[in-house]
Amino acid sequence: MRSSASKPGRSTSVLPLQWSIASDVAEIEAIVNAVSSACVAAGFAEKVCRLNVPVALTEAIANAIVRGNNSDVSRRVLVCAGIDNGTLCIEVTDEGTGFDLIAVRAMAEAPDWATREDGRGVFLMHALMDKVETWCDRGHTVRLVLRRT
């Protein structure tokens, strides 16, 4: 990530933060706190730092642990985050085979969607982030992108 200053007194570049964790939901909180703190330091709005980022990132990591790695603690989840030029980019990679992002998003239109126990995480990620992408290459990766406004 390149460094660039657009706001006096605030760094807009945060070196990439990386974690490789076991598939244990107890690992999520520390990562979410670190990324949220980086967003505060980079000048993101308070609501974004306290709601959008924590909810979307928690959902992405939880999906990687529970769905991608089937909660198998011997399998790893890699989380990479960085902020450059006012844009937060987070990638969460599990050891799973992935899912069809369009099909999962379409689940929100199903009549039983509100009562289901799954399927809302991807919906929330899309609602809270500017961009959500997914692909498979040495595991399944979800990329969350949020621009500072």
Side-chain angles (χ1 to χ4, degrees):
M1 302 207 136
R2 293 176 320 203
S3 178
S4 171
S6 63
K7 269 192 169 182
R10 293 217 189 246
S11 169
T12 60
S13 181
V14 175
L15 293 176
L17 305 168
Q18 289 190 328
W19 297 265
S20 178
I21 61 170
S23 294
D24 180 353
V25 294
E27 302 281 351
I28 296 172
E29 185 177 4
I31 296 170
V32 169
N33 289 340
V35 174
S36 295
S37 293
C39 289
V40 168
F44 281 78
E46 182 73 21
K47 174 188 172 262
V48 168
C49 299
R50 301 293 172 230
L51 174 68
N52 296 48
V53 172
V55 171
L57 181 53
T58 296
E59 289 295 337
I61 298 171
N63 281 349
I65 291 170
V66 175
R67 306 251 184 259
N69 288 349
N70 296 314
S71 299
D72 179 348
V73 294
S74 71
R75 298 176 92 182
R76 308 295 292 176
V77 174
L78 177 63
V79 181
C80 300
I83 301 169
D84 192 20
N85 295 323
T87 299
L88 168 68
C89 182
I90 305 168
E91 292 182 359
V92 179
T93 304
D94 60 52
E95 295 182 31
T97 58
F99 58 87
D100 181 344
L101 187 60
I102 295 168
V104 172
R105 286 188 71 189
M107 288 172 49
E109 298 171 14
D112 68 339
W113 182 75
T115 59
R116 293 177 60 137
E117 290 187 24
D118 62 348
R120 287 182 289 282
V122 171
F123 173 81
L124 288 169
M125 285 184 256
H126 277 278
L128 298 170
M129 295 284 117
D130 292 319
K131 185 188 234 182
V132 178
E133 301 172 305
T134 183
W135 67 87
C136 287
D137 179 34
R138 294 185 182 173
H140 177 246
T141 300
V142 171
R143 177 184 290 153
L144 307 173
V145 177
L146 185 67
R147 292 171 198 85
R148 184 181 63 209
T149 54

